[in-house]
Structure formats: C-alpha cells, structure tokens
Amino acid sequence: MTTSGPGEATIGDVAREAGVSVSTVSYALSGKRPISEATRQRIQSAVDRLGYRPHAGARALASRRTHVLALVAPLRVDVNVSVILQFVAGVVTRARSHDLDVLLLTNDDPHSLDRVASGSMVDAAIVMDVEREDPRLPELRAMRQPAVLIGLPDDPGPLACVDLDFVSVGRQAVAHLAAAGRRRIGLIGAAPTVLARRTSFAERLMRGYGEAVARLDAPALAVAAQGSRGGGISAVTELLEREPALDALVVHNELAVPGVVEALRRAGREDVALVLVCPADLVGSVPVDCDWIEVPGARIGEIAVDMVTAQLAGATGPEVRLLEPTVRAHRLNP
Amino acid sequence: MTTSGPGEATIGDVAREAGVSVSTVSYALSGKRPISEATRQRIQSAVDRLGYRPHAGARALASRRTHVLALVAPLRVDVNVSVILQFVAGVVTRARSHDLDVLLLTNDDPHSLDRVASGSMVDAAIVMDVEREDPRLPELRAMRQPAVLIGLPDDPGPLACVDLDFVSVGRQAVAHLAAAGRRRIGLIGAAPTVLARRTSFAERLMRGYGEAVARLDAPALAVAAQGSRGGGISAVTELLEREPALDALVVHNELAVPGVVEALRRAGREDVALVLVCPADLVGSVPVDCDWIEVPGARIGEIAVDMVTAQLAGATGPEVRLLEPTVRAHRLNP
DNA sequence: TTGAAAGCGCTAACAC
DNA sequence: GTGTTAGCGCTTTCAA
C-alpha cells in the first residue's frame, strides 16, 4: 500500500473516497451551498485522510481569484529598514487573517507589478514608497486589480491611499514645541535622495512644518540629513550656525537621531527640545528625554490590507485615509 | 472597436491573430521547440498588439511549475531588521534574475509553508532563522518541493543549507585579536531570547569563540546582551567586573554596538580592541576604529536562490555551503 | 441536497 | 516546422 504525501490528492480522489461528486466536495469546502451534515463530515474525513489540498493554480484558473496580494516594497538604502519592515509585517499579518498570501516585489524592476497583475498572479496590490508624481501611477490605474497606495501622490485619482497625515505631523510638532515656549524650531528631514525622489511623506511633513512656523512668524530652519550618525551631526552643526538661538528640533530621520543627540551634547545644547518622528521600536533606544510622534507602520499596513479587501468585496468607501498623529512623551526615568 | 487592456487576451487570441495554432504560440514563447523566424515574428507582434500575458494559474496547472519561491522569513523583534532585510533583498533580487517571484511567509503561522507547498503555490522554499533543532525540519523534509535553509541545524539530513561559517567567525575573531597580543577576550553575543531559541548562528559563533579561547588558555568571557544601547552597556559593565583586565571584545549583536562603544568610552577603556560581527552597512556608522567581520546577508540570500534553482534543475551538488569569513579593518581616517 | 459536465488557459504529447 | 488535442484540477452553471 502506498501512502502518498500531502498535495498529491485531487478533488476527484476526495470525491471518490467520500462517495460523492466533485461538485459536492467543492461546495462543501467553499461553503457556497448548503450540504447535509452527514456528507460534510464524510467529505471532511476523506480530506483529512488523503491530506488533500486544493491546487492553487487550478483554483485560480477556474475562479479567477488567486488569494495572493502583491506588495510592492522599496528596500531602498535611504529609507529606514526598520520602518519598511514594520509596514511589511503589518501587511503580511493582516493579509493572512484575510486568507491572503503576499507576493513581495522589490522596486528593482519597474514593470514587475504589471507583470504579475496582467499575468493574473495576484488579486490586488499594495504599493509602498509613493512619490508625489509617482511614475507607477499610470500602470496602477490601468490594472484590472484594485490597488492601495501607502503614501499620497499629488493626484491619486481614483486610487485608494492610506498614510500617516504627515502635514499634520509637521504642524503638530511645531505647535507642541510652540506651546512649550519654543520659537526657533529647526527641522532635520529625510535624506537628500529621498527628497530628490519627491517621496510623498517627506515633503508633506516639510509642508506642515513650513506652514506652522510661518504662522508663528518663526524662521523656517529645515535641512535634509544623510541617514547616518554623521548626517545628524552635520545637520545640527549647520542649523546651529544658521541660528545660534535654536531652541527646538523636529527630527524626521531615524538614522540621524544618534548623531543629532551626540552633536547637541557636544555643543552643550541639551536644552534644545526634541520632537522625533519615528516608529515605536526606535524611540526606546534614544538616550535622552524628548517628545515623539509615532509612525505606525504596522497599523498602516494593516489598514491598507483592509482597504484592499474591501475593494475586492466590491465596497467603494472613502478613497483616502490619513491617520491623525499624536505627540507623546519619551522619558528615561518615568 | 474595443481595445481591451492587458491580461485579457488568451493564447488562443494570439494564435488566431497570428494565424497559427496555440501550440505554436506556446512553443514560440517557451522556446521549447524550433520555430521559423517568420512565424516567431508574427507571433511576437500579435503578443505585443494584444498585450498578451500568459495566465499564471493556467500555466502552473498545465506545467506543474509556478515560478514562485516561498521565502520563510522571521521578522522577529530580536533579530536585527537590517540583517533580515539584506537576506530578503538578496533572495528577491536573485530570484527575479532566475525568473522567479517570491511569496513572503512570516513565522506567525507555523504551517503556512506546508499550506503553500502542498497547495502547489510554490516551486521551492528558502527558510531563514533556522534553529539547531528546528521544529520545521519534519515539514521541510516531507515537502515535494526542494528547500534551502539559511542557517545550519544540528541534523540537516538531506536538506541543503547555506550560511556564514559562524564557528570560523568565532575562531577567526579570537585568532585575530590574539595575534595582536590580546589575551582577555570577551564575547558579547546575541539577545537571550535568540539564544534561548537555540538559533543556529548564535550558538555556532559561541562555539568557535569558546574553542579558540580555550586553545589560548584564555578565559571564556561570554555574555548575552539585549539588542539595545542599554544591553550593550550592561554587557560591558558585567564583563569589566568579571575581568577588569579585559583587553578585547567580540561583539555579535548589531543593536548593542552603540552601547558597547559608549560604555567603553565612559569607562575610559578605549584601549579595548573590538571585533564586530555585522552587516556591511552597519559598520559605517560605528564611531571608533575597530575590526569587523562581515555578515554578507545579500550574498547568502543569492546563494540560497542559486542552490534552490540548481535543485529545481535536477542538480545534486554539495548539500551544505558555509562561507568563509574575513576580518577587516574599519578606520575612521584612512 | 446532490450530480454531470462545460469550461478556465495553458502545456506537451502525438501527429503530420 | 506546425497543428490537434488530451489533459492539468478546480469552479460553477444547469439539471435533477
């Protein structure tokens, strides 16, 4: 007697084993029509006995659903990997809870999304690292499958978007510091390459910041910083030169944070108030008291999946969702 | 006239448009049999005109190949995300160059690999974050599809493995320091949770270290450290208490490095020689001169893909590949 | 409540 | 060098 491993049995084998027709097995498994409890059980035990697993390709061919989501993720050096991975983790976890798997596309091949979409490898797509005038937008709009952007292009058209409201992040950071009496508020922004790509979040934060300091009649003191310790040091040095009376800093560059802290210490300027914009796991390693605004990567990834599944289910709700940020305190000795 | 978007046309449409049979189209596209140049061109232009893309599910059903690779990746908090992402990037990039896509599985569901494998969603699997007695090994051995482990379990059996030779890393780090006259060599290892899981690389490095210091008749001074600035500080403090004459440190914990450097500085012990074990992008942000051994994540990911494609092609080469590490110098002012 | 059978779009014999 | 056609394993009418 031959015991074949799992994945060998077909729906026909199950049907024979259970003494029913293939359609009955199919319906029993999908629940798309009522099946008597007795047959349901016979089928289930046949499935277990044979280790039956539906063949994904056959199912996709017949039903036109793959149960796979494309995740277009950047993996660019200048974007903080821990942020990326938070988004990815959120997407993958939530996708599984919707019974979807995730096909990971990195950006090295600009047409890979087109390839997998028109090859019917995926039911939908989630796109990260969106630029203000993202070159992928035409492709995305032409897709049969729904897509959700993580980020906010200038003209999303009918595409669904979700992100932290970075304009509000900039405003709130400034407002929070102003409320604490600060008026010389600098901004250390994303890496020059990130800004050069006109990455949507980087510019939006800067816009919010710019508006807010203007309303305060405070000087706009924004610099881009390389995502490194050295980048943080240079940025602080430059800002202190431009404005020696600097009394606060908004830092939107996770990798530069250690350098920023170090430079302030060396300059004897621990009095400069800090608002960090970063993921939750990063703030824990910051060695000074400060305030921070969370970039909730995992949460945004989850929402993106929820939006995409809603679209798959035919819903047509609000197209753009921006999460409201909150300023929180980070204290070494609570 | 209706211009339908890409992904609507079938191979039958192409065949009609080009005035040939479907099999000719199929063979022309796959190159699996000689086609006259003339027909090849007619077919190609029909493909272009119609925007034809083969339906992945149909292809998988007929050919029993999905051209998809499962990547089982951890995304565990205690493992450095930048290391993980290097592996992932290596895998995805190399996979694409073999015309494979990557289905990303995270570990939250232990049976997901079984699910996608027996559901014929993937042709092969690459598994990261391998433990010495990994609970997934039985599943992996039962799979129809080939698998490659990144890491080295105690008993890999017939499974292919690839990793940096961490035993050698430990030995070389010690040998290098010993050659520089150091005899009180500490080891700051992976996070306690990583060790508790018996993660293969962590223990192998420790073994190499232990053997090497024993041969020197030097004391074994190993501690686990939390992956954080605080973890690095505590580890240094503890080691300096145990051995005030400490003159060298091997650090195999990326996230603890800043704390280690800081603690040594505060203790006035900048004379302690350092060998860091970390990915290349991390060493750049280390603010002191030291030596380091690269963990070539991307390279290992690439090799894993090459091994898996070799297996798909029917090869049966060397089962376990361990990359030889090299000690290099990191100098702030070269 | 169940079954029979027609596809889904492609590959790969098997023909010529 | 090219065409015909029988599957691949599933879903989903249509019929009972």
Side-chain angles (χ1 to χ4, degrees):
Chain A
M1 173 195 157
T2 329
T3 311
S4 49
E8 324 265 81
T10 73
I11 197 173
D13 299 330
V14 175
R16 197 174 320 113
E17 181 85 7
V20 296
S21 75
V22 289
S23 62
T24 302
V25 175
S26 175
Y27 284 119
L29 261 31
S30 71
K32 288 194 182 170
R33 86 179 177 192
I35 300 287
S36 77
E37 190 49 29
T39 39
R40 238 195 43 69
Q41 301 224 336
R42 288 217 315 290
I43 289 173
Q44 188 53 54
S45 83
V47 164
D48 295 341
R49 224 170 315 135
L50 299 176
Y52 167 73
R53 300 288 190 139
H55 186 287
R59 191 206 283 266
L61 180 56
S63 69
R64 316 190 134 274
R65 283 279 206 196
T66 63
H67 296 273
V68 175
L69 213 63
L71 174 58
V72 184
L75 310 193
R76 310 207 209 210
V77 276
D78 281 318
V79 180
N80 185 326
V81 289
S82 114
V83 181
I84 297 178
L85 222 46
Q86 289 217 354
F87 282 94
V88 172
V91 168
V92 173
T93 307
R94 190 59 146 223
R96 282 304 309 141
S97 82
H98 285 284
D99 195 34
L100 293 167
D101 278 294
V102 173
L103 198 74
L104 180 66
L105 303 175
T106 58
N107 274 359
D108 35 41
D109 168 11
H111 291 303
S112 52
L113 180 55
D114 178 40
R115 184 174 53 76
V116 301
S118 51
S120 297
M121 293 185 76
V122 300
D123 292 338
I126 291 178
V127 180
M128 293 177 52
D129 199 44
V130 173
E131 299 168 19
R132 286 188 52 184
E133 299 182 3
D134 202 292
R136 298 165 298 187
L137 289 178
E139 281 183 17
L140 285 167
R141 293 198 252 260
M143 275 175 56
R144 307 196 282 303
Q145 296 95 335
V148 171
L149 309 184
I150 293 181
L152 185 60
D154 282 347
D155 176 21
L159 289 168
C161 305
V162 56
D163 204 353
L164 183 62
D165 187 342
F166 279 97
V167 175
S168 175
V169 169
R171 286 194 199 120
Q172 284 203 38
V174 171
H176 179 80
L177 290 164
R182 312 281 169 158
R183 284 298 178 278
R184 306 276 171 233
I185 303 171
L187 169 62
I188 295 182
T193 52
V194 174
L195 286 166
R197 293 206 318 271
R198 310 205 67 197
T199 306
S200 118
F201 68 84
E203 292 204 359
R204 282 184 288 140
L205 186 142
M206 240 177 217
R207 179 146 42 94
Y209 161 85
E211 287 175 22
V213 289
R215 232 177 350 234
L216 283 175
D217 274 327
L221 298 161
V223 293
Q226 297 293 351
S228 65
R229 178 177 150 275
I233 294 174
S234 313
V236 169
T237 309
E238 181 185 337
L239 285 174
L240 284 176
E241 258 168 40
R242 273 167 61 184
E243 177 54 74
L246 187 81
D247 60 8
L249 227 31
V250 181
V251 186
H252 183 209
N253 188 321
E254 297 82 3
L255 297 173
V257 169
V260 169
V261 172
E262 185 181 337
L264 288 175
R265 177 162 41 76
R266 292 209 301 222
R269 292 302 311 274
E270 281 100 337
D271 62 291
V272 172
L274 246 32
V275 173
L276 270 30
V277 181
C278 64
D281 61 351
L282 200 133
V283 79
S285 69
V286 175
V288 295
D289 282 350
C290 62
D291 294 317
W292 66 294
I293 294 176
E294 181 179 2
V295 178
R299 177 97 191 86
I300 294 172
E302 289 169 9
I303 293 176
V305 173
D306 290 344
M307 289 174 78
V308 103
T309 53
Q311 283 189 256
L312 283 172
T316 165
E319 262 8 74
V320 173
R321 248 166 91 180
L322 294 179
L323 306 192
E324 196 53 36
T326 326
V327 181
R328 306 193 216 179
H330 165 65
R331 296 292 171 264
L332 294 182
N333 303 308
Chain B
M1 174 194 157
T2 329
T3 312
S4 48
E8 323 265 82
T10 73
I11 197 173
D13 298 329
V14 175
R16 197 174 319 112
E17 180 86 7
V20 296
S21 75
V22 289
S23 63
T24 302
V25 175
S26 175
Y27 284 120
L29 261 31
S30 71
K32 290 195 182 172
R33 86 181 179 189
I35 301 287
S36 78
E37 190 49 28
T39 39
R40 239 194 43 68
Q41 302 223 336
R42 289 217 314 292
I43 290 172
Q44 187 54 54
S45 83
V47 165
D48 295 341
R49 224 171 314 135
L50 299 176
Y52 166 73
R53 300 289 190 137
H55 185 289
R59 191 206 282 267
L61 181 56
S63 69
R64 318 192 133 273
R65 284 279 205 192
T66 63
H67 296 272
V68 175
L69 213 62
L71 174 58
V72 184
L75 309 193
R76 311 207 208 209
V77 276
D78 280 318
V79 180
N80 184 325
V81 289
S82 114
V83 180
I84 297 178
L85 222 46
Q86 289 217 355
F87 282 93
V88 172
V91 168
V92 173
T93 307
R94 190 58 147 225
R96 282 304 307 140
S97 82
H98 285 284
D99 196 33
L100 293 167
D101 278 295
V102 173
L103 198 75
L104 181 65
L105 303 176
T106 59
N107 274 359
D108 34 39
D109 168 11
H111 290 302
S112 51
L113 180 56
D114 179 40
R115 184 174 51 77
V116 301
S118 50
S120 297
M121 293 186 74
V122 300
D123 293 337
I126 290 178
V127 180
M128 291 176 54
D129 199 42
V130 173
E131 299 168 18
R132 286 189 53 185
E133 299 182 5
D134 202 292
R136 298 164 299 186
L137 289 178
E139 281 184 17
L140 284 168
R141 293 198 252 260
M143 275 174 58
R144 306 197 281 304
Q145 296 94 335
V148 172
L149 309 184
I150 292 181
L152 184 60
D154 282 346
D155 177 20
L159 289 167
C161 305
V162 56
D163 204 353
L164 183 61
D165 186 342
F166 278 98
V167 175
S168 175
V169 169
R171 286 194 200 120
Q172 284 203 39
V174 171
H176 180 79
L177 290 163
R182 313 281 168 159
R183 284 299 179 278
R184 306 273 172 234
I185 303 170
L187 170 61
I188 296 181
T193 52
V194 174
L195 285 166
R197 291 207 318 270
R198 310 205 68 198
T199 306
S200 115
F201 67 85
E203 292 204 359
R204 283 183 288 140
L205 187 141
M206 240 176 217
R207 180 146 41 95
Y209 162 85
E211 288 174 20
V213 289
R215 232 178 347 236
L216 283 174
D217 275 327
L221 298 161
V223 294
Q226 297 292 351
S228 66
R229 178 178 151 276
I233 293 176
S234 314
V236 169
T237 309
E238 181 185 337
L239 284 175
L240 283 175
E241 259 169 40
R242 274 167 60 184
E243 177 54 75
L246 188 81
D247 59 8
L249 227 31
V250 180
V251 186
H252 183 208
N253 188 321
E254 296 83 4
L255 296 173
V257 169
V260 169
V261 172
E262 185 181 337
L264 288 176
R265 178 162 40 74
R266 292 209 301 223
R269 293 303 311 273
E270 282 101 337
D271 61 291
V272 172
L274 247 34
V275 173
L276 271 31
V277 181
C278 64
D281 61 351
L282 199 133
V283 78
S285 70
V286 175
V288 294
D289 282 350
C290 62
D291 293 316
W292 66 295
I293 294 176
E294 181 179 2
V295 178
R299 177 95 192 87
I300 294 173
E302 289 168 8
I303 292 177
V305 173
D306 290 345
M307 289 173 78
V308 103
T309 53
Q311 283 190 258
L312 284 171
T316 166
E319 260 11 72
V320 173
R321 247 165 91 179
L322 294 179
L323 306 193
E324 196 53 35
T326 327
V327 181
R328 305 193 217 180
H330 166 63
R331 295 293 170 264
L332 295 182
N333 304 308

